[in-house]
């Protein structure tokens, strides 16, 4: 972790607003170990940040207030009160820095909620970075990472971005150098899936002997080697997600959606995180555009997005 401050008061625009954005993620490997006494599962995961971003704009205000626009805002899928992770992020940073939690936050969502893409975590990470600059708290990246881990298992990665190996409940990160660009198409389903429900289904399937017990220590070396240098076929062969089987059990249409992606020319397709988004790996940028066009015309997804990764984590814009 660098000791550089994450933002700094110098980034406040003339109108008093500070803007930050943070990316969605795909787990290219998600090995789930046993349930721990604290209710979390021990993970061995490889995160890849992809080019679908939420933006958070913050301004000085008396007390906390929140507006949410974009994906999922109209249908009430994203709360605008203390249940929202960005609200909790603001309170946590204010407490840490010993300042009043005075800010108006506006979240512009492109990342769908409850989709397995860490959209809420991206919003929280972007809020930490933006509020650090607005309030001049001069937190280091290390400080922000520690606060992020208190907010949720995926928030530290939303802050870091790029490619990283995640252990513990996913919050302990080792950055991985991977310069090669990877092109994907995200197939977004109509309705979200609850992360605890998907983990619970995995536990039930394992308890019933329908799935082997989890080994969190399964090797991530093949997927890391493929990510670093390719070719696409090597990454396609190395993709794996222990939450895919329970997600498919809960949402049987996912099986069809995964098949639709490979039939449309994806090198491979897997469920992203706890789902229900399908991440389809393409040969290159052109291949992703073609695949996105193909999948947009079929009935398997509500929306499709061509993205690439790795991209940067939460940072100030402008
Ligand atoms: O950390 P986060 O709040 O995102 O986790 C949401 C839920 O997902 C947890 O309450 C838990 O049920 C499940 N989870 C888990 N093991 C992890 C991460 C999350 O069981 N490593």
């Amino acid at each position: 972790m660098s000791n550089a401050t994450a933002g700094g008061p110098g980034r406040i625009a003339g109108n008093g607003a500070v803007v930050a954005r943070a990316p969605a993620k795909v787990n290219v490997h998600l090995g789930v170990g046993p349930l721990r006494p604290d209710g979390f599962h021990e993970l061995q995961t490889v995160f890849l940040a992809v080019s679908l971003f939420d933006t958070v704009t913050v301004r000085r205000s008396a007390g906390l207030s929140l507006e949410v626009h974009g994906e999922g805002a109209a249908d009430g899928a994203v709360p605008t009160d203390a249940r929202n992770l960005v609200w909790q992020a603001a309170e946590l940073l204010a407490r840490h820095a010993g300042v009043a939690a005075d800010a108006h936050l506006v979240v512009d969502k492109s990342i769908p909620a409850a989709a397995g893409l860490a959209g809420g975590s991206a919003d929280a990470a972007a809020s930490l970075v933006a509020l650090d600059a607005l309030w001049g708290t001069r937190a280091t990246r290390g400080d922000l990472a520690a606060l992020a881990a208190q907010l949720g298992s995926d928030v530290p990665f939303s802050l870091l971005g790029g490619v990283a190996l995640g252990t513990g409940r996913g919050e302990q990160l080792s950055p991985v150098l991977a310069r090669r660009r990877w092109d994907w198409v995200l197939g977004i389903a109509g309705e979200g899936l609850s992360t605890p429900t998907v983990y619970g289904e995995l536990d039930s399937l394992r308890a019933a002997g329908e799935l082997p017990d989890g080994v969190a220590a399964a090797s991530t070396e093949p997927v890391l080697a493929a990510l670093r240098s390719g070719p696409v076929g090597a990454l396609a062969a190395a993709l794996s997600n222990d939450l895919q089987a329970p997600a498919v059990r809960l949402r049987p249409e996912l099986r069809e959606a995964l098949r639709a992606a490979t039939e449309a020319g994806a090198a491979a397709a897997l469920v992203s995180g706890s789902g229900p988004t399908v991440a389809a790996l393409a040969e290159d940028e052109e291949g992703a555009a073609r695949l996105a066009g193909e999948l947009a015309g079929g009935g398997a997804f509500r929306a499709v997005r061509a993205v690439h990764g790795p991209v940067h984590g939460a940072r100030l814009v402008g």
Side-chain angles (χ1 to χ4, degrees), residues 18 35 60 67 94-95 101 126-127 145 163 168 237 245 269 297:
V18 178
L35 180 62
R60 284 219 173 257
E67 277 173 55
R95 223 173 20 251
S127 299
V163 177

Side-chain angles (χ1 to χ4, degrees), residues 85-194:
L85 218 49
V86 308
W87 192 291
Q88 296 163 32
E91 288 187 328
L92 190 64
L93 178 63
R95 223 173 20 251
H96 166 82
V99 300
D102 286 338
H104 179 65
L105 294 89
V106 180
V107 179
D108 284 298
K109 293 198 64 65
S110 297
I111 310 172
L117 295 169
S121 302
D123 301 346
S127 299
L128 288 176
V129 168
L131 290 170
D132 168 57
L134 183 78
W135 291 337
T137 51
R138 306 196 76 83
T140 63
R141 278 273 162 178
D143 292 337
L144 294 187
L147 299 177
Q150 293 178 51
L151 291 165
S153 306
D154 289 340
V155 187
F157 179 72
S158 302
L159 201 57
L160 181 68
V163 177
L165 179 64
T167 54
R169 60 186 168 89
E171 90 288 14
Q172 293 167 26
L173 299 177
S174 308
V176 173
L177 209 57
R179 289 204 184 85
R180 191 196 188 289
R181 170 188 166 126
W182 295 97
D183 286 278
W184 300 80
V185 174
L186 303 178
I188 293 155
E191 223 183 298
L193 266 177
S194 140

Side-chain angles (χ1 to χ4, degrees), residues 180 182 222-223 225-238 267 281-283:
R180 191 196 188 289
W182 295 97
V223 79
L227 265 180
R228 273 192 293 267
S229 51
V232 173
L235 182 58
L281 179 63
E283 283 291 331

Side-chain angles (χ1 to χ4, degrees), residues 51-311:
S51 59
L52 182 64
F53 297 95
D54 279 0
T55 301
V56 177
T57 304
V58 300
R59 287 183 178 79
R60 284 219 173 257
S61 172
L64 276 181
S65 50
L66 171 61
E67 277 173 55
V68 181
H69 302 282
E71 266 288 336
D75 55 20
V78 187
T80 54
D81 54 22
R83 288 169 300 163
N84 193 306
L85 218 49
V86 308
W87 192 291
Q88 296 163 32
E91 288 187 328
L92 190 64
L93 178 63
R95 223 173 20 251
H96 166 82
V99 300
D102 286 338
H104 179 65
L105 294 89
V106 180
V107 179
D108 284 298
K109 293 198 64 65
S110 297
I111 310 172
L117 295 169
S121 302
D123 301 346
S127 299
L128 288 176
V129 168
L131 290 170
D132 168 57
L134 183 78
W135 291 337
T137 51
R138 306 196 76 83
T140 63
R141 278 273 162 178
D143 292 337
L144 294 187
L147 299 177
Q150 293 178 51
L151 291 165
S153 306
D154 289 340
V155 187
F157 179 72
S158 302
L159 201 57
L160 181 68
V163 177
L165 179 64
T167 54
R169 60 186 168 89
E171 90 288 14
Q172 293 167 26
L173 299 177
S174 308
V176 173
L177 209 57
R179 289 204 184 85
R180 191 196 188 289
R181 170 188 166 126
W182 295 97
D183 286 278
W184 300 80
V185 174
L186 303 178
I188 293 155
E191 223 183 298
L193 266 177
S194 140
T195 301
T197 304
V198 178
Y199 274 103
E201 182 69 15
L202 176 65
D203 293 336
S204 305
L205 290 170
R206 284 177 171 170
E210 291 187 46
L211 284 177
D213 280 342
V215 190
S219 174
T220 52
E221 211 22 69
V223 79
L224 289 174
L227 265 180
R228 273 192 293 267
S229 51
V232 173
L235 182 58
L239 297 173
S240 71
N241 178 2
D242 283 351
L243 293 181
Q244 179 160 310
V248 169
R249 179 65 74 103
L250 290 164
R251 190 66 60 78
E253 312 89 271
L254 267 175
R255 197 186 308 280
E256 227 8 85
L258 288 162
R259 191 176 312 132
T262 43
E263 281 175 4
L270 87 170
V271 167
S272 177
S274 55
T277 299
V278 168
L281 179 63
E283 283 291 331
D284 51 23
E285 189 174 4
E286 214 174 289
R290 213 170 30 240
L291 181 59
E294 186 89 13
L295 291 175
F301 303 107
R302 170 173 68 82
V304 298
R305 300 275 179 270
V307 298
H308 63 89
V311 296

